[in-house]
Amino acid sequence: PYRSYSYSAKKVKVKSTTSFGTIDFDGEIKESMIYAKGYINLSKELFKRYNLPLNYLGLKSLKGKLRLNHYGVWLDIDHSLKKLLKIDSAFNLDIVNSRHRLYYDYGDNNLTIDSEIEGKMPYADRFKIKNRVIVDNKIGFRYLGEIEIPKLKALPKEISNYLLEDLKAKFKGDSKNFNSILNSKLLEGKFRIIDYKRAVLTLNSRGNNIELDRLTSAIPSKFKNSRVSFNSKTFLDFKDFKKSNTKINLISNIFNIDLNTNLLKPFKINFKTRVPYNSIVYNLYKDIKFSSISELRGELSLSNSYILTIKGKGVELFLEYNPKENIVKRATLSLDGNRFSMGNGTELKVSSLDIEELLKSIKKYY
């Protein structure tokens, strides 16, 4: 009621223009409250003013239900949309179902939007988002919420079904930045987007809690009870993805491994392995002198062929493998200048062979 009286009408048409856009609704008035249905047409200037990285063409005209009185406007919108984000990247979000509840306050000219969204993206067939957006007349645009991704895809199952099982995140952001805290059963991390052009993802294990045999079946039975911890940092450049890369540190009671890889094909993985002083390999393989190979460096290139190079003290290994033909095309092993090579999976060649020096070299390792 306004000024202590109430009014009603069987028919009413509501048309209005604001800095956010226009509305065009038909309905009725009950006890000084307008109830109507129609369309809200968002202004492109709204997206430009607050630098909203959203698909304007998919959002410019939305069907909704309106309630309006002397204090504010309530608007309910249900919709779906492909490619929600307007970014120069293969990554995007498709909205399958969404419910938005908007409230615009006449007193302070602030807009609040509460949303519940179900959708899909390149890495998941289903995700759920609860979100609150506030367009403040003084502070500007900001948002916060949480997301759940029951199951990921387009990743190795050891990662999606084990490491990232039941992934959840809480997030907040504004027109320039996005920040999120991530959690799964085994991992925790943070994801930050800067100016919607670059991003940093840090992901760590919750401790020495990852079972090695759950990550790979190709592990010796002696190592199957071993656990591993890790920490990682990924840099993403949405404008020039060639600059994106990931750094990973794996720590276990077998080996410690540092990895650095690019994120576009052909993949190149640079690595360094170390045998820690408390490694179980010292007791399991007492005949091997791990002190001579305690640190190894190498690179693995993954394209049409897999090319592996490893270098250590006096030892070098080169291996080229064709995964389609399932053969080793070339392999070379060098021990202190003694060189063994093989080509096309059959012929073994030996060069610069000195038997006495070779025996000395072998004694360094065994």
Side-chain angles (χ1 to χ4, degrees), residues 8 69 79 90 113 164 210 266 316:
S8 300
N69 64 14
H79 78 101
I113 308 172
L164 297 179
I210 299 172
E316 292 187 19

Side-chain angles (χ1 to χ4, degrees), residues 85-100:
L85 303 176
K86 187 179 180 181
I87 55 176
D88 187 15
S89 172
F91 177 83
N92 217 306
L93 303 175
D94 290 342
I95 305 304
V96 178
N97 295 298
S98 65
R99 303 185 70 182
H100 308 284

Side-chain angles (χ1 to χ4, degrees), residues 48-66:
K48 290 182 178 180
R49 178 180 176 184
Y50 295 105
N51 297 313
L52 303 181
L54 302 175
N55 177 1
Y56 169 70
L57 292 178
L59 295 170
K60 67 177 183 178
S61 183
L62 301 171
K63 189 176 181 180
K65 296 179 180 179
L66 174 73

Side-chain angles (χ1 to χ4, degrees), residues 102-145:
L102 293 80
Y103 172 61
Y104 180 71
D105 191 303
Y106 296 150
D108 54 20
N109 292 320
N110 291 340
L111 174 67
T112 302
I113 308 172
D114 290 313
S115 303
E116 292 187 11
I117 300 169
E118 290 189 10
K120 60 182 181 178
M121 60 181 174
Y123 295 105
D125 288 328
R126 179 172 172 264
F127 67 84
K128 297 176 72 174
I129 296 176
K130 289 185 178 181
N131 185 53
R132 167 166 283 194
V133 176
I134 301 171
V135 183
D136 190 293
N137 189 47
K138 295 180 180 179
I139 300 175
F141 164 74
R142 64 188 189 276
Y143 58 89
L144 57 92

Side-chain angles (χ1 to χ4, degrees), residues 7-12 27-35:
Y7 50 93
S8 300
K10 291 183 178 180
K11 289 185 179 181
V12 65
E28 61 181 341
I29 303 174
K30 291 182 178 180
E31 298 180 353
S32 304
M33 174 75 79
I34 295 176
Y35 298 87

Side-chain angles (χ1 to χ4, degrees), residues 255 274-276 279 281-296 312-315 335-336 358-366:
F255 300 105
R274 300 180 304 280
V275 182
S279 174
V281 299
Y282 289 111
N283 291 325
L284 292 176
Y285 304 99
K286 293 183 179 180
D287 293 331
I288 298 177
K289 297 177 181 178
F290 286 99
S291 58
S292 298
I293 52 172
S294 61
E295 183 172 307
L296 298 172
K313 286 183 179 180
V315 60
L335 290 174
D336 292 330
L358 177 60
L359 291 175
K360 288 181 181 179
S361 297
I362 292 175
K363 287 181 179 180
K364 289 182 181 179
Y365 309 103
Y366 191 80

Side-chain angles (χ1 to χ4, degrees), residues 28-30 33 109 147 160 179 222 239 243 250 305 308 316 328 350 352 359 363:
E28 61 181 341
I29 303 174
K30 291 182 178 180
M33 174 75 79
N109 292 320
I147 182 170
S160 59
N179 291 281
K222 295 179 180 179
K239 293 292 184 181
K243 297 179 180 179
L250 297 169
S305 293
L308 173 67
E316 292 187 19
V328 175
V350 182
S352 304
L359 291 175
K363 287 181 179 180

